Structures are given as C-alpha cells and as structure tokens.
Amino acid sequence: MATQAVKTQSAKTRHTISMVLIYILLILIAALMLVPFVWMLSASLKLNKDVFTFPIEWIPSNPR
C-alpha cells in the first residue's frame, strides 16, 4: 500500500510539472503572437520616418 501512495504522489507531481511547463510555453507563444500587434499600435503613433529607426522605440517620445 505504501508503494502505491508513493507512485500516485509521483504521478501527480509529474502531471503538475508538465502542466506548468505547458502553460509557460503557451504564455510565451501568446506573447510572441502579440508582438506584431504591439508593433502596429506603436507604429500608428509615430511619423513615417520614425517607424524604422534603430534601436526600436516601442513607446514614442512624441506620439502623433
């Protein structure tokens, strides 16, 4: 009986760890998918000449 409880606890721990890793991966993918949208919003507040400056200015100093 004691070995069964240890196996069950181990399985629960593995399941929890795998779910945490899956959620972290999903959050990273969602953030990656939102980057073009954030860029579009940022670019809409800039002049045309300021859109492709380097380094990227995500929040424009003079929004238009």
Side-chain angles (χ1 to χ4, degrees), residues 20-40:
V20 167
L21 291 176
I22 288 171
Y23 277 110
I24 289 172
L25 181 65
L26 288 174
I27 289 169
L28 290 174
I29 290 172
L32 185 66
M33 294 295 158
L34 286 174
V35 168
F37 180 70
V38 174
W39 173 256
M40 179 186 67

Side-chain angles (χ1 to χ4, degrees), residues 1 5 8-10 14 17 19 28 32 34-35 38 41 43 45 48 52 55 58 60 63-64:
M1 284 293 192
T8 304
Q9 185 64 26
S10 176
R14 271 190 269 123
I17 291 172
M19 291 303 293
L28 290 174
L32 185 66
L34 286 174
V35 168
V38 174
L41 289 177
L45 299 173
N48 287 340
F52 295 110
W58 288 97
R64 308 256 188 236

Side-chain angles (χ1 to χ4, degrees), residues 47-53:
L47 295 175
N48 287 340
K49 66 181 181 82
D50 297 331
V51 172
F52 295 110
T53 59

